[in-house]
Amino acid sequence: MDPAFEAEALHSTGIYTKHPIAIVRGDGASVWDSAGREYIDCMAGHGVANLGHAHPAVAQAVAEQARRLITCHEAFYNDQRSAALALLASLRPGLTRVYLCNSGTEAVEGAFKFARLSTGRPGIVAAMRGFHGRTLGALSATWNKHYREPFEPLVPGFRHVPYNNVQALEQAVDDQTAAVVLEVVQGEGGVHVADPAYLAAAQRTCRERGALLIIDEVQTGLGRTGKLLAVEHFDLTPDLLCLAKSVAGGVPMGAVLIGPAVGGFAPGTHGSTFGGNPLACAACVAALQALIGERLPEQAAEKGAYLMARLREIESPLVREVRGLGLMVGIEIKQKVAPYLDALLDLGVIALPAGLTVLRLLPPLVITYPQLDRVVEALRTVLTKPLEE
Ligand SMILES: Cc1ncc(COP(=O)(O)O)c(C=O)c1O
């Protein structure tokens, strides 16, 4: 048995369901366990490793910056932070200011606080099946009661409306609504792509009623769906856009891109000790340059279309639907997905669930076509042959 199993069993919290392998190395879309076995990583750390594992440019930027300056509070200016801010502010016209933090849930918390501060209103309208994180504010916008109930009472002022239902959204937004928060593809909630008319109506309703539109691109962001930002598919310009996961090539970082309707922040109203950390910023600059330079969004669009077409060829009475956008792919099956994920792992493919019955694939965008074919063949095997007990 790997010594990591025993140590983690003894000292970690127990809040994660663990697979009995210790991952010790990665390269591109592959990872290796401590016994030397290779896996194709279609989990990518829950959608973090968009650039692939151990990307040389990110590794070099982190190593060089670690030797120069690891920490520098935002109370001072910094070369790496200013470069990261300039790049992040160029991602979507109009979203020219940026709040830097350390994770997805913190980006969402920041967006909620900025929305309340900016509008003077308390209300947040979120969508059923939406996932926005697990700190108490972000959790209040998350839909799944399994995550919410043990921690109630949550933050007041939040309500949920059905996703892709224009009428319900219009009815929910009033003069007390600070913001509507939506994912353009619901990830954790089962890989559901938004209807363009719904997103257009959300933007219009917010503008008309003085509420802000927050788009949570923590999972869809930075190439995953076939565009650098998923809002580009829908010609959407939110007031606040949340990023994390892949934004610094795997180094922990979150960011909120902020538009002109949001403002009025006095010093000290929000902040983070590690936000804008030079190490994360150096990684972010290297990651964004590589993402754009290697045309990874375009690659995600092409590879995602190929993957979904090949998955739809699998003839299995188990499969209800294959859906997604770019390399954010869900296979909804008629049974609980957990045993199928275990069977895939046995065949050397790491995937993840999205709810109880959706098998989710979030591979690095650098995954090769032969690797995609191996993933399809492994899925064909597990979805068409009876599972071993
Ligand atoms: C859409 C979305 N928002 C927020 C989060 C929370 O991000 P983190 O786990 O970095 O706090 C996630 C995580 O999966 C997510 O998918």
Side-chain angles (χ1 to χ4, degrees), residues 349-362:
V349 173
I350 303 176
L352 72 167
L356 285 180
T357 57
V358 177
L359 192 152
R360 186 169 28 148
L361 301 170
L362 299 174

Side-chain angles (χ1 to χ4, degrees), residues 46 103-106 108 131-133 183 188 216 218-219 244-245:
H46 277 242
S103 66
T105 201
E106 269 185 77
V108 171
F131 184 90
H132 300 288
E183 296 157 272
E188 302 296 315
D216 180 347
V218 167
Q219 192 162 146
K245 290 197 189 281

Side-chain angles (χ1 to χ4, degrees), residues 66-114:
R67 281 191 287 267
R68 226 151 54 94
L69 183 71
I70 291 181
T71 193
C72 170
H73 192 267
E74 280 226 32
F76 292 92
Y77 295 93
N78 173 261
D79 57 343
Q80 297 303 321
R81 188 187 308 122
S82 58
L85 287 173
L87 265 176
L88 288 164
S90 71
L91 294 181
R92 190 77 185 143
L95 304 184
T96 56
R97 283 177 303 135
V98 184
Y99 170 68
L100 296 173
C101 52
N102 313 288
S103 66
T105 201
E106 269 185 77
V108 171
E109 292 287 339
F112 290 162
K113 288 182 74 177
F114 295 144

Side-chain angles (χ1 to χ4, degrees), residues 22-97:
I23 305 288
V24 295
R25 186 166 72 85
D27 184 14
S30 289
V31 291
W32 284 264
D33 69 12
S34 53
R37 183 172 181 208
E38 181 182 357
Y39 300 82
I40 300 178
D41 185 9
C42 293
M43 178 195 264
H46 277 242
V48 170
N50 289 13
L51 279 177
H53 293 280
H55 191 284
V58 176
Q60 191 183 339
V62 169
E64 280 175 9
Q65 188 59 32
R67 281 191 287 267
R68 226 151 54 94
L69 183 71
I70 291 181
T71 193
C72 170
H73 192 267
E74 280 226 32
F76 292 92
Y77 295 93
N78 173 261
D79 57 343
Q80 297 303 321
R81 188 187 308 122
S82 58
L85 287 173
L87 265 176
L88 288 164
S90 71
L91 294 181
R92 190 77 185 143
L95 304 184
T96 56
R97 283 177 303 135

